[in-house]
Amino acid sequence: MAPFGRFYTYPDNYRVQRAQAIAAINGLTLEIAPDFQMDVTNRTPEFLAKFPLGKVPAFETGDGSFHLTEGQAIARFVAESGPKAGQLLGEDVKTRALIEQWSCFAEQELAANAVPPVLMLVAKLEQYPYDEKRCNQLLAALERALGRVEAELKDGRQFLVGGQLTLADIMVVGVLQVAGRFLMDREMRKDVPGVEAYVKRVMEVPEMKGAFGDLQLCETRVRAQ
């Protein structure tokens, strides 16, 4: 039986891992293209014919008829394509809007502020040279965003929207587990205990653990060498 879809991506891409968790909840099978090489495969004419900007992760359905990029769009497509769509995306317009709000927040407030410092400090890519001022600005913005999540989880709330796991939690925690590994150290976490407990709780969901592996939280954030 053909898989529901396949990804073209580099290893350990959290955007792909989020989709894998969603697929597992929905009973769908995703595969990773085994021969993909970053900056090689995605520059070929064949790849660009399907994904014109050469961006990854890139997704196509199992029959090759439908193509998507942008992690948020892919996650939503996978969420909407199985029997758990109601749980993941909401059953009414207000719930769906709140889940979409948090999905956007994950990309625009969490990933936008957490991923660049990781690329500067860990990946050390040429296109992300270390800039101390910029890095500190991003970390301050990340702390502000964490405060927003902490406020939402007051009074012991288990999930961001309603009483069960939704796409909102998968999108948010997918970013926070990266931040927790490299940036969100013990000092930062002490101000957001609800966030720490929330991340640990969501990462224990079997489908999340299957996609991401065990949660790793750093004691001291990575710094420039």
Side-chain angles (χ1 to χ4, degrees):
M1 183 176 178
F4 172 73
R6 76 181 54 81
F7 275 104
Y8 299 90
T9 185
Y10 52 83
D12 299 322
N13 186 332
Y14 76 92
R15 291 183 172 93
V16 171
Q17 292 167 319
R18 290 189 307 198
Q20 289 173 319
I22 295 164
I25 291 169
N26 254 338
L28 304 173
T29 301
L30 299 178
E31 67 178 19
I32 306 295
D35 54 352
F36 178 84
Q37 292 179 270
M38 188 64 187
D39 294 329
V40 178
T41 306
N42 56 318
R43 292 181 178 178
T44 63
E46 294 80 8
F47 190 93
L48 294 173
K50 294 188 288 188
F51 309 104
L53 293 181
K55 295 181 70 173
V56 297
F59 172 87
E60 66 181 356
T61 48
D63 62 4
S65 65
F66 183 66
H67 307 104
L68 272 180
T69 57
E70 310 302 340
Q72 187 174 344
I74 295 167
R76 183 175 180 85
F77 177 73
V78 177
E80 205 159 2
S81 297
K84 297 293 186 179
Q87 172 190 333
L88 291 165
L89 296 172
E91 298 282 6
D92 62 82
V93 65
K94 291 182 178 179
T95 301
R96 290 195 294 270
L98 287 171
I99 291 169
E100 186 70 10
Q101 170 190 276
W102 283 107
S103 297
C104 293
F105 178 91
E107 297 300 282
Q108 297 168 17
E109 299 293 338
L110 294 175
N113 292 309
V115 173
V118 172
L119 296 176
M120 290 182 197
L121 296 164
V122 181
K124 299 181 180 179
L125 301 177
E126 289 184 9
Q127 58 267 48
Y128 287 92
Y130 177 67
D131 180 328
E132 182 178 8
K133 180 180 179 180
R134 179 63 178 150
C135 193
N136 288 337
Q137 289 172 336
L138 290 165
L139 289 171
L142 175 61
E143 289 189 31
R144 180 173 178 271
L146 290 173
R148 173 69 181 91
V149 181
E150 182 74 15
E152 195 68 19
L153 295 170
K154 64 183 179 181
D155 302 327
R157 182 179 297 184
Q158 300 292 296
F159 303 102
L160 289 171
V161 182
Q164 61 184 344
L165 183 81
T166 69
L167 180 66
D169 304 298
I170 297 169
M171 296 294 286
V172 166
V173 173
V175 181
L176 291 183
Q177 60 86 32
V178 176
R181 191 182 312 171
F182 300 111
L183 304 173
M184 201 169 74
D185 59 11
R186 180 173 54 185
E187 184 67 20
M188 190 181 291
R189 294 196 304 272
K190 75 178 185 181
D191 294 325
V192 287
V195 172
E196 180 176 359
Y198 165 69
V199 171
K200 289 178 176 178
R201 180 167 58 251
V202 173
M203 286 293 287
E204 283 300 313
V205 172
E207 293 87 353
M208 291 291 285
K209 180 169 283 193
F212 291 96
D214 292 331
L215 176 64
Q216 301 175 47
L217 295 177
C218 63
E219 289 297 299
T220 304
R221 72 172 176 84
V222 293
R223 299 181 185 275
Q225 300 296 318

